[in-house]
Amino acid sequence: QKEVEQDPGPLSVPEGAIVSLNCTYSNSAFQYFMWYRQYSRKGPELLMYTYSSGNKEDGRFTAQVDKSSKYISLFIRDSQPSDSATYLCAMSAYYAGGTSYGKLTFGQGTILTVHP
Amino acid sequence: EAEVAQSPRYKITEKSQAVAFWCDPISGHATLYWYRQILGQGPELLVQFQDESVVDDSQLPKDRFSAERLKGVDSTLKIQPAELGDSAMYLCASSPGVSGSSDTQYFGPGTRLTVL
């Protein structure tokens, strides 16, 4: 079983739709949660970063973390064709004693297509 | 805006040949990561450097892969000999702080390797 499972999709939605992307994880040591966006043939770019349970909003994007359920989500409101990309959830751990190498563990990615 | 540089962007080689990838992190970033991303999957860490020292190479296939960051700045990842299963995107990332921090990782554009 992988440490991070991501709904693989693919997702195809009309412009203006609300998109929900989800990941679950099994490692309780994960404390930092990120969403990256990756356009075709490009490297991932950071969209959202959070380290606490609850919601974090940035423009049309909202990241949600539920540590008790080991579940994170990314919501995209008023989706645009330019949002078409692969979305990757990523997590890193904080171990007792304050030692963490900062290694990111990624989900397998969800391909999103927003059509006009 | 400072970016992580990688070269080459694309590499096609035959199996059993040697290949090398180069990464120049954002200036001043102490931590450098090499990830491998197989098509349709999320990136997986191969090796992590703190300055010139390796802090995590547990997932690096050491019989054929090697990595170095001699002066704690740029880095080279080498594969010798390449195998068909090495076909993937090789991503370099850097972060400003020491290993164990929760710093954001910034990714380069990647090198896409095809082994024939």
Side-chain angles (χ1 to χ4, degrees):
Chain A
Q1 183 185 4
K2 293 185 177 182
E3 285 187 294
V4 179
E5 297 280 357
Q6 182 172 358
D7 291 344
L11 288 178
S12 181
V13 301
E15 184 174 355
I18 296 174
V19 175
S20 172
L21 305 168
N22 308 294
C23 288
T24 58
Y25 62 97
S26 57
N27 188 346
S28 298
F30 288 143
Q31 296 292 324
Y32 305 103
F33 305 93
M34 288 137 275
W35 286 94
Y36 281 84
R37 177 174 61 196
Q38 186 175 26
Y39 291 114
S40 181
R41 304 182 190 278
K42 298 289 180 65
E45 59 176 328
L46 183 68
L47 272 180
M48 300 287 285
Y49 181 111
T50 185
Y51 55 86
S52 58
S53 284
N55 294 350
K56 180 178 180 180
E57 190 173 318
D58 184 1
R60 297 185 295 111
F61 299 90
T62 299
Q64 187 175 80
V65 174
D66 182 347
K67 289 185 179 178
S68 62
S69 301
K70 296 188 177 66
Y71 187 88
I72 70 169
S73 298
L74 178 71
F75 299 95
I76 307 174
R77 292 184 300 279
D78 187 26
S79 57
Q80 302 296 309
S82 58
D83 294 328
S84 298
T86 297
Y87 288 80
L88 296 156
C89 64
M91 309 177 189
S92 63
Y94 181 87
Y95 294 100
T99 301
S100 166
Y101 291 129
K103 163 190 168 183
L104 293 180
T105 301
F106 284 86
Q108 60 264 52
T110 300
I111 299 173
L112 171 66
T113 302
V114 181
H115 50 87
Chain B
E1 183 176 314
E3 295 180 339
V4 176
Q6 289 188 249
S7 65
R9 293 293 311 278
Y10 304 92
K11 179 69 177 179
I12 300 174
T13 190
E14 294 185 346
K15 65 178 182 178
S16 80
Q17 296 298 303
V19 292
F21 313 129
W22 177 78
C23 172
D24 191 12
I26 294 172
S27 178
H29 280 197
T31 308
L32 184 147
Y33 309 80
W34 283 101
Y35 290 86
R36 177 170 60 185
Q37 185 177 24
I38 295 169
L39 190 63
Q41 298 183 21
E44 293 185 331
L45 182 71
L46 290 173
V47 61
Q48 178 180 343
F49 290 91
Q50 173 66 47
D51 298 314
E52 67 277 5
S53 300
V54 173
V55 295
D56 186 353
D57 63 356
S58 57
Q59 300 302 309
L60 188 71
K62 298 182 187 65
D63 57 337
R64 297 185 301 107
F65 287 65
S66 64
E68 61 183 15
R69 193 184 184 200
L70 292 176
K71 296 183 179 179
V73 181
D74 59 339
S75 176
T76 302
L77 178 69
K78 297 179 181 178
I79 308 174
Q80 182 173 16
E83 295 181 353
L84 296 177
D86 296 332
S87 295
M89 173 82 90
Y90 290 82
L91 293 161
C92 179
S94 69
S95 64
V98 298
S99 292
S101 71
S102 56
D103 287 343
T104 298
Q105 293 184 26
Y106 297 88
F107 283 82
T111 296
R112 179 161 298 282
L113 173 66
T114 302
V115 182
L116 303 175

